[in-house]
Amino acid sequence: MRNAPTILHLDMDAFFASVEQASKPSLRGKAVVVGGLGPRGVVATASYEARVFGVHSAMPMAQARRLAPNAAYLVPRFALYRSVSEQVMALLQALSPLVEPLSLDEAFVDLEAGKTAWDEESARLAGTKLRADILAGTGLTGSVGLAASKMLAKIASEQAKPDGLVLIEPGTERALLGPMSVRTLPGVGPATGDHLRRAGITTVEELAEAGEDELVRLLGKAHGHALYAMALARDDRPVVAEREAKSVSVEDTYDVDIHDRLRVGLEVQRLADRCVRRLRGAGLSGRTIVLKVRRYDFSTLTRSETLRGPTDDPAVIREAAARLLESVDTTGGVRLLGVGVSGLADYTQEDLFAQAAGGLQLAEPEEVAPEAGEEQPEPAERHWRAGHDVRHADYGHGWVQGSGLGRVTVRFETPDSEPGRVRTFLVDDPDLEAADPLPLVADAGP
């Protein structure tokens, strides 16, 4: 393993919510929650102001609303997030040919491969300049971790959050890792963490002290060897340049075989929801739903169903996974379950409409336009989604603050303006139309 801290991990801070705050001056410094607003919606990202109330990603939206009733709740704008992500990734690719994106807002960079850094000082300078360039180009902040390996760089960026830089100096890795939870290490999920806890192992230091033989006995050969190496701060995984994902999937292995059919069904539903969160985090949708079941005798079955078009709708994916489970005999017990989506595609406008349907909130108007006096039903073709951009013939650019009861409430402001005024119109007002997002920073491109 290299000794110089020339692996960089960038993690943009509360990315979706930060983009919305940069786009909407009235939301800066306020609690913002982005996600599906329907009855089954989940939080995609919460701003740091919303996290103070306990709101976090993957939380049911209904629970988030109870915790932070006064937050702004917005439908995602993935086309804008992808555009900003492309700006950020271009800055990373200028540093090195070896850039490994993990999602729209997160990536590893091998600085040594790009001859951008070769020691602590040059690595710190590269990380500092990157953060400044991201802020200048997008108005957003990102946290940077620098270390001699991918595992340590990711841990460092987590420590740097929000809006910071942490470099793990060579020789300090073991001391840093020792008191951390075993869950900090890649590959240690809830099941493995519980298994280790029952064996009296809760910290990385205890993991190292247990020894390789004991970990192999507890976790199996491959997992035991890998975790022991990581507990000693050894991680030789290279940064792999971007390649097209063929599928997105999640799976869990259970310490005790699951025999209860109802429990199996609930686990499949939970895995489907996790898969959707990963799918949305990557800005993708997919056509083929795959169920993986490893039974008590280690036989592994896979079942798949191909839909008419790509989707990221959690209800659709849950229902497909449930149908696939009906064809699998689980009476002997289940050791592993997995749900995946393949046949991937970028988000389509139809996907976003399906995701947002049924969950629009009604904002309190500050000013009602004169023509909004008579309540009329909203035509099916005029959907105004909370947070999306619009333009009015008289008032210019704004965004939808809420919609319902035949009216749409719009706040008129732009990324470089002061917080704007709110006006309310009939949903079929001919002077109001959907608009493309404006650049977050003037002259910085879309």
Side-chain angles (χ1 to χ4, degrees), residues 227-444:
L227 277 190
Y228 182 68
M230 289 181 180
L232 299 180
R234 298 174 189 159
D235 177 20
D236 295 325
R237 293 174 300 158
V239 175
V240 180
E242 182 176 7
R243 53 180 177 236
E244 186 177 355
K246 291 183 168 47
S247 65
V248 172
S249 63
V250 296
E251 61 182 44
D252 274 345
T253 302
Y254 305 98
D255 295 329
V256 178
D257 292 353
I258 303 175
H259 292 82
D260 179 22
R261 182 75 177 186
L262 178 60
R263 165 88 190 282
V264 172
L266 291 173
E267 288 293 311
V268 167
Q269 300 295 287
R270 184 178 61 81
L271 288 165
D273 288 342
R274 275 176 54 198
C275 185
V276 167
R277 291 195 292 273
R278 186 169 293 183
L279 199 66
R280 289 181 173 177
L284 297 170
S285 57
R287 295 184 64 219
T288 301
I289 317 303
V290 181
L291 175 71
K292 177 179 177 182
V293 180
R294 181 167 297 149
R295 299 189 291 189
Y296 69 100
D297 58 357
F298 287 89
S299 62
T300 302
L301 304 175
T302 58
R303 300 286 186 269
S304 65
E305 175 180 323
T306 299
L307 308 173
R308 285 182 297 177
T311 186
D312 73 332
D313 188 320
V316 172
I317 293 173
R318 276 196 299 261
E319 289 165 8
R323 285 194 297 272
L324 294 170
L325 180 61
E326 291 174 3
S327 66
V328 178
D329 179 9
T330 61
T331 51
V334 171
R335 301 182 60 88
L336 175 148
L337 289 168
V339 173
V341 176
S342 61
L344 301 181
D346 284 344
Y347 270 100
T348 63
Q349 194 69 11
E350 288 76 17
D351 290 332
L352 294 178
F353 288 173
Q355 177 186 328
L360 302 178
Q361 66 180 99
L362 181 64
E364 289 297 321
E366 293 176 13
E367 179 176 340
V368 179
E371 61 269 33
E374 183 180 348
E375 180 178 319
Q376 294 185 12
E378 179 175 349
E381 69 274 16
R382 297 297 297 270
H383 290 294
W384 303 108
R385 286 171 170 73
H388 282 222
D389 296 84
V390 294
R391 176 170 292 280
H392 191 275
D394 295 328
Y395 302 112
H397 192 93
W399 57 277
V400 176
Q401 193 161 308
S403 174
L405 303 178
R407 296 179 175 85
V408 55
T409 303
V410 177
R411 186 180 289 274
F412 290 97
E413 59 186 4
T414 64
D416 58 354
S417 74
E418 294 296 318
R421 297 195 68 180
V422 170
R423 297 176 185 270
T424 297
F425 309 91
L426 292 177
V427 295
D428 58 356
D429 190 316
D431 290 334
L432 190 67
E433 60 182 5
D436 292 329
L438 298 176
L440 301 185
V441 175
D443 301 321

Side-chain angles (χ1 to χ4, degrees), residues 13-32 47-50 74 77 140 415 440:
D13 298 322
F15 183 53
F16 297 172
S18 293
V19 170
E20 297 299 343
Q21 289 175 318
S23 176
K24 303 171 171 66
S26 59
L27 296 185
R28 292 170 193 169
K30 307 285 182 62
V32 174
S47 70
Y48 284 95
E49 296 86 355
L74 306 175
R77 296 188 292 166
L140 305 177
L440 301 185

Side-chain angles (χ1 to χ4, degrees), residues 61-337:
M61 192 61 79
Q63 184 181 355
R65 287 184 185 277
R66 288 193 295 271
L67 291 171
N70 297 319
Y73 288 87
L74 306 175
V75 173
R77 296 188 292 166
F78 284 104
L80 176 58
Y81 306 153
R82 277 202 306 275
S83 174
V84 177
S85 174
E86 286 166 4
Q87 288 180 262
V88 173
M89 294 301 167
L91 292 172
L92 299 184
Q93 286 152 2
L95 293 174
S96 173
L98 291 184
V99 176
E100 183 178 342
L102 304 179
S103 63
L104 289 177
D105 61 340
E106 185 182 1
F108 287 110
V109 184
D110 187 330
L111 297 176
E112 189 175 353
K115 297 183 172 57
T116 312
W118 47 90
D119 59 11
E120 292 176 47
E121 183 180 1
S122 57
R124 191 182 294 277
L125 284 172
T128 300
K129 183 178 185 301
L130 172 66
R131 294 181 60 242
D133 289 346
I134 290 172
L135 183 62
T138 69
L140 305 177
T141 62
S143 296
V144 165
L146 292 156
S149 69
K150 289 167 70 171
M151 175 186 73
L152 291 166
K154 186 170 174 64
I155 289 171
S157 72
E158 190 63 34
Q159 291 186 323
K161 281 190 162 294
D163 189 21
L165 182 150
V166 167
L167 182 147
I168 298 177
E169 297 179 1
T172 67
E173 297 93 345
R174 289 285 303 277
L176 175 77
L177 281 176
M180 292 184 175
S181 165
V182 294
R183 290 289 304 276
T184 305
L185 300 181
V188 182
T192 301
D194 287 345
H195 193 55
L196 291 169
R197 181 180 51 78
R198 287 195 293 271
I201 299 171
T202 59
T203 67
V204 175
E205 185 176 16
E206 290 167 347
L207 201 62
E209 289 173 350
E212 191 167 18
D213 291 344
E214 176 65 6
L215 294 180
V216 168
R217 186 187 71 79
L218 285 170
L219 304 171
K221 190 172 182 179
H223 206 179
H225 284 313
L227 277 190
Y228 182 68
M230 289 181 180
L232 299 180
R234 298 174 189 159
D235 177 20
D236 295 325
R237 293 174 300 158
V239 175
V240 180
E242 182 176 7
R243 53 180 177 236
E244 186 177 355
K246 291 183 168 47
S247 65
V248 172
S249 63
V250 296
E251 61 182 44
D252 274 345
T253 302
Y254 305 98
D255 295 329
V256 178
D257 292 353
I258 303 175
H259 292 82
D260 179 22
R261 182 75 177 186
L262 178 60
R263 165 88 190 282
V264 172
L266 291 173
E267 288 293 311
V268 167
Q269 300 295 287
R270 184 178 61 81
L271 288 165
D273 288 342
R274 275 176 54 198
C275 185
V276 167
R277 291 195 292 273
R278 186 169 293 183
L279 199 66
R280 289 181 173 177
L284 297 170
S285 57
R287 295 184 64 219
T288 301
I289 317 303
V290 181
L291 175 71
K292 177 179 177 182
V293 180
R294 181 167 297 149
R295 299 189 291 189
Y296 69 100
D297 58 357
F298 287 89
S299 62
T300 302
L301 304 175
T302 58
R303 300 286 186 269
S304 65
E305 175 180 323
T306 299
L307 308 173
R308 285 182 297 177
T311 186
D312 73 332
D313 188 320
V316 172
I317 293 173
R318 276 196 299 261
E319 289 165 8
R323 285 194 297 272
L324 294 170
L325 180 61
E326 291 174 3
S327 66
V328 178
D329 179 9
T330 61
T331 51
V334 171
R335 301 182 60 88
L336 175 148
L337 289 168

